[in-house]
Amino acid sequence: MTQTPTVAAIEERRPLTERLGRVRVASWATAALLIVAVVAAVALQPNLLSPYGVASTFATFLPLVLVAVAQAIVVIGGGLDLSAGAIVALSSVVAVQVMQGEAGSVPLGFLTAIGVGLACGIVNGLVVSRLRLQPLIATFATASVFSGLALLVLPSPGGTVPAIITGTFRQAVGGVPVSVLLVVAVAAGWLVVRHLRIMRHIRATGGGPAAAFASLVPVAGAQLASYAICGVICGLAGLAVLGNSGSGDPFIGGDLALNSVAAVVVGGIALRGGIGSPIGAIAGAITLSLASTILFALSLPTSWRALAAGLVVILALALSALGAPRRQR
Amino acid sequence: MKPTTATRARTLLRDPVVIAAVIAILLVVVGGILKPGFASPDQIVNMLRVASFLGIIAIGQTIVVLSGGEGIDLSVGTVATLGAILASRTMNGSDALLVPGILLAVGVAALIGLANGLGIVLLRIPPFVMTLGMLGVVGGLILVVTGGVADGRAAPSLVQLVNGRDVLGIPGILLVWALLAVVVTLVLRRTTFGMQLYATGSGREAARLSGVPVGRVTVTAYVLSSIFAALGGIAMVGYSQQVFLNLANDLTLPSIAAVVIGGTLVAGGVGGYLGSAIGAIVLTVLTSLLTTLSMPEWARIVVQGVVLIALLAVYGRQRKLRT
């Protein structure tokens, strides 16, 4: 067989201007939305900028930020993970039960949460890549499995999280809140990961499985890897939920999966795969979370708040979808 | 070569609709063995009645999926709930206001579907994203309309239609569902709109070049989806008699699952409603089987997920890359 250039290599050979042109519109919309959200939120609630405000805001955002990054990696790989929320719920309740509120078992709790996330991700990856089921419907089915297991592990909200986790979560290192550091760490982690071969394979698979396959990309392996990475990050999100709330809740995952998809779209990542960056998803998650902060600060009548939130989200989704590069006609 | 009986039987057994039907019957038989009385005619009619709500909602979902272009409607569950709320508030226990209630619900649903369709066709927002956003908006509308407290009651005749055993001992809603199934199948197979829908789903560009008004067909698909969702929600109010703020919200993903189990290709252009109807029956029988076996809730949810994966693995698989 002759040397076939990989899809990623072809991508890199495109003229720089064309590559910029393809990326810029979507990222531009994402950045604009984020700036608008931040300015509006700070204008309405100036104490948001106080050290405490920043710390607690980021602490509440962190779970969605993490799940959005996880979702972004799957979406870039051409998949979709509706079970992300259920993985967060399952890994958090298992970790709570393992730790039993004891500081000594915190490392074990961390490993458990990540291990559970990884196991769930591998299940998803095998179902999608080996059984070749439609990701949407397959992960809907596995979400049912994972949330059932979460109910088995912890039938009702409760349990105690070791104080060291909740405490550290609210602390600051050198004046910077830990929650902010964690978001920055996630972004930095991506900057390292994106150069790995597996990430190039995931992106190539999302761009076009058939073409990637023809270019000797291990498509099934890349799909499996994308779901496995997603699972691990969801396990971390489970820990963030614990740090934030201080107790376990088997129902926590409810809206997380769909919200993470919304964050991914607002982040300029095309749902058909191959395009975008988890950094955008972080921006998208923060934008959406700020939107609800803003609506809360506007003191709208309670019954109108959900409609306003829905309209803001659909507007943000529409703007980002419009900005995203379109399929060639 | 003339197809022999054996090959004909083999192609028949590969037909997803046939497989789904066989699975539905198997589930009923297994249920009857495990729990005497599960397969009694009375119980079967009861399950079919519950399946009809999902089945009616799945009509619209089928049409949207058939229209292709990654077509999917994530808003059907909340639209069904909104339809149920609007209808039950309007009729408020009176037969005279039944028709206005239904008309109001269907009208509002049609507008929501129109918004979905226009967003998808004119603004070219991907269907998944557009209907995901609409899910939130409709959820907000429900709170605005009800102020957080669902009130209103189903009209007696609607309750009678769903819960009564008027026609030869079976509830009228099953006849309505059967009639809808026949009409929808005829519309899909025999009318210009049906042809245009399949053409659009198989390939938008080819359809456009052949003179199919692709945009109008797509918008119509989403309008129909919301209308059937509202009708499904109204039927559900007849069953529960009272309305809840999240009455039908959880039926969105099952409606998609019913379509997939019924053999309609998620890529669009291939499939039909009969399969989705049987898919809705399969899902409902499965749920009630797991409920009657008095499993703990967690086990029921887990088994439901595992069975769904197994069902899809039987025939819902996508093509291999290596051929």
Side-chain angles (χ1 to χ4, degrees):
Chain A
M1 193 144 191
T2 49
Q3 279 284 318
T4 336
T6 66
V7 173
I10 294 172
E11 187 72 14
E12 270 156 30
R13 226 178 287 148
R14 282 175 193 256
L16 186 65
T17 46
E18 192 186 324
R19 275 162 61 203
L20 278 180
R22 282 180 56 186
V23 177
R24 208 200 269 140
V25 198
S27 340
W28 190 82
T30 305
L33 282 170
L34 178 62
I35 291 169
V36 169
V38 170
V39 168
V42 170
L44 283 165
Q45 280 202 319
N47 61 353
L48 216 58
L49 281 183
S50 70
Y52 175 77
V54 171
S56 66
T57 311
F58 270 78
T60 25
F61 290 1
L62 190 58
L64 181 61
V65 165
L66 284 168
V67 180
V69 169
Q71 189 70 260
I73 290 174
V74 172
V75 168
I76 290 172
L80 190 74
D81 192 351
L82 288 189
S83 71
I87 300 180
V88 172
L90 180 58
S91 51
S92 66
V93 295
V94 172
V96 161
Q97 293 292 43
V98 164
M99 293 188 288
Q100 292 290 349
E102 284 172 35
S105 40
V106 166
L108 183 63
F110 269 65
L111 284 181
T112 316
I114 294 169
V116 169
L118 177 64
C120 294
I122 288 178
V123 169
N124 280 335
L126 288 177
V127 167
V128 170
S129 69
R130 308 291 155 167
L131 290 181
R132 294 193 309 277
L133 299 187
Q134 180 68 30
L136 172 84
I137 206 77
T139 55
F140 162 60
T142 57
S144 175
V145 175
F146 301 152
S147 45
L149 290 176
L151 272 182
L152 167 67
V153 174
L154 190 72
S156 59
T160 16
V161 176
I164 183 162
I165 296 188
T166 41
T168 316
F169 205 62
R170 301 270 166 186
Q171 262 170 10
V173 175
V176 188
V178 169
S179 49
V180 177
L181 285 178
L182 287 172
V183 171
V184 173
V186 172
W190 162 249
L191 291 181
V192 176
V193 169
R194 68 173 180 163
H195 292 298
L196 297 182
R197 173 180 305 202
I198 187 65
M199 216 35 239
R200 287 215 310 268
H201 285 169
I202 290 174
R203 193 177 289 273
T205 303
F213 186 79
S215 317
L216 295 180
V217 170
V219 168
Q223 282 174 335
L224 177 59
S226 72
Y227 285 95
I229 297 172
C230 170
V232 168
I233 303 176
C234 288
L236 292 173
L239 289 169
V241 166
L242 293 184
N244 207 17
S245 66
S247 67
D249 182 354
F251 305 107
I252 191 82
D255 294 333
L256 263 180
L258 286 180
N259 285 347
S260 70
V261 176
V264 157
V265 175
V266 172
I269 298 168
L271 280 185
R272 64 164 192 276
I275 298 170
S277 143
I279 305 275
I282 296 177
I286 293 178
T287 307
L288 289 180
S289 309
L290 279 176
S292 54
T293 313
I294 294 168
L295 289 170
F296 196 80
L298 280 177
S299 59
L300 288 168
T302 339
S303 50
W304 286 86
R305 205 174 284 152
L307 179 62
L311 288 172
V312 168
V313 169
I314 208 171
L315 197 69
L317 288 174
L319 278 176
S320 323
L322 282 178
R326 285 174 192 156
R327 196 187 284 281
Q328 307 253 300
R329 300 186 144 260
Chain B
M1 207 173 72
K2 249 171 80 182
T4 63
T5 330
T7 52
R8 217 180 289 149
R10 215 171 297 142
T11 41
L12 195 64
L13 281 179
R14 285 221 192 95
D15 188 337
V17 180
V18 176
I19 301 177
V22 168
I23 292 172
I25 293 167
L26 275 182
L27 280 174
V28 172
V29 170
V30 168
I33 293 168
L34 291 177
K35 202 89 182 181
F38 184 80
S40 71
D42 206 45
Q43 181 65 15
I44 290 177
V45 166
N46 209 6
M47 285 191 288
L48 285 177
R49 202 174 50 166
V50 175
S52 69
F53 320 136
L54 180 58
I56 292 172
I57 295 175
I59 295 177
Q61 192 70 264
T62 308
I63 295 175
V64 161
V65 172
L66 281 176
S67 78
E70 294 155 8
I72 195 161
D73 192 342
L74 294 183
S75 64
V76 286
T78 42
V79 170
T81 307
L82 180 64
I85 286 172
L86 289 175
S88 67
R89 280 171 72 93
T90 310
M91 55 181 126
N92 204 10
S94 120
D95 277 340
L97 292 171
L98 174 63
V99 173
I102 293 177
L103 287 181
L104 174 69
V106 166
V108 171
L111 287 179
I112 295 170
L114 186 65
N116 274 336
L118 291 180
I120 290 160
V121 169
L122 290 185
L123 303 179
R124 294 195 212 145
I125 301 170
F128 191 97
V129 178
M130 184 67 211
T131 56
L132 173 63
M134 194 52 87
L135 172 76
V137 173
V138 176
L141 270 180
I142 288 174
L143 281 185
V144 170
V145 169
T146 60
V149 188
D151 51 3
R153 268 177 315 119
S157 54
L158 179 62
V159 176
Q160 186 62 23
L161 177 75
V162 180
N163 291 346
R165 299 273 171 116
D166 296 335
V167 197
L168 304 170
I170 55 171
I173 188 71
L174 287 187
L175 290 188
V176 172
W177 186 23
L179 187 70
L180 282 177
V182 171
V183 170
V184 168
T185 307
L186 285 180
V187 166
L188 288 179
R189 300 286 175 201
R190 292 276 181 274
T191 62
T192 317
F193 171 74
M195 298 300 162
Q196 290 178 337
L197 185 73
Y198 279 100
T200 306
S202 326
R204 301 185 109 60
E205 201 51 45
R208 198 189 318 273
L209 292 174
S210 325
V212 173
V214 170
R216 206 194 315 154
V217 168
T218 311
V219 173
T220 312
Y222 285 89
V223 171
L224 287 175
S225 175
S226 292
I227 289 178
F228 281 114
L231 290 177
I234 294 170
M236 228 172 151
V237 174
Y239 180 73
S240 67
Q241 307 192 24
Q242 273 186 328
V243 74
F244 308 100
L245 285 182
N246 57 355
L247 183 74
N249 287 8
D250 289 341
L251 289 184
T252 300
L253 289 167
S255 78
I256 301 168
V259 170
V260 175
I261 291 175
T264 297
L265 280 196
V266 181
V270 178
Y273 178 64
L274 184 60
S276 312
I278 296 175
I281 294 173
V282 168
L283 290 174
T284 312
V285 173
L286 176 63
T287 315
S288 55
L289 176 60
L290 296 177
T291 317
T292 32
L293 290 180
S294 56
M295 283 187 174
E297 195 195 356
W298 71 266
R300 198 160 46 80
I301 303 176
V302 169
V303 171
Q304 209 162 0
V306 171
V307 171
L308 187 51
I309 295 174
L311 282 181
L312 295 173
V314 175
Y315 57 85
R317 302 173 68 172
Q318 295 173 303
R319 237 178 300 139
K320 263 188 191 173
L321 285 171
R322 200 187 334 234
T323 42

